[in-house]
Amino acid sequence: YAASRAQLVFQEIRPALNMGKVVISDRYIDSSLAYQAGGRELTMEQIRQLNEWATNGLWPQRTYLLDMDFEQAQWAQRPAGIIRSGLF
C-alpha cells in the first residue's frame, strides 16, 4: 500500500495541491491506520512512519468519518464518467 500511496501523492495529489486545487480522497492515511494496524504485525507507530515516508510528510488537514449503512454507501460505486482519482 505504501508504494501505491507514494505514487498517488507524487503523480496526482501534490501537483493538484500545487495548482491550488482541493483534493478529496476516500482512502488515505487514516484508512491505513485503521486497516493495517488491525490484524497485522505492524504497530500504529510503524504505520505512521511508513506513511510519513510514502507521502513525504503530506498529512490531511481534515478527516471526515462517514458513518452510514451499506445502502447509503453506494455513492462510492461511481459511474465510469465521474473522476475516479477524487481530484477536483
Side-chain angles (χ1 to χ4, degrees):
Y1 75 92
S4 176
R5 172 127 335 115
Q7 181 179 9
L8 178 65
V9 168
F10 178 75
Q11 292 180 338
E12 302 284 341
I13 296 175
R14 269 252 193 242
L17 291 173
N18 289 340
M19 292 187 299
K21 294 184 178 182
V22 173
V23 176
I24 299 173
S25 175
D26 61 347
R27 287 180 182 76
Y28 197 58
I29 294 171
D30 292 324
S31 63
S32 294
L33 292 170
Y35 295 115
Q36 299 297 324
R40 303 274 179 153
E41 294 183 15
L42 296 174
T43 66
M44 291 285 272
E45 184 56 31
Q46 289 170 319
I47 295 166
R48 278 191 191 97
Q49 290 173 358
L50 187 56
N51 275 283
E52 179 77 17
W53 170 80
T55 66
N56 196 25
L58 183 63
W59 289 82
Q61 290 183 346
R62 291 191 181 106
T63 298
Y64 297 97
L65 174 64
L66 304 177
D67 185 13
M68 62 184 73
D69 60 35
F70 179 76
E71 289 77 26
Q72 291 173 319
Q74 290 303 302
W75 66 270
Q77 302 299 319
R78 297 181 278 279
I82 295 179
I83 299 171
R84 293 192 178 274
S85 67
L87 303 175
F88 300 93

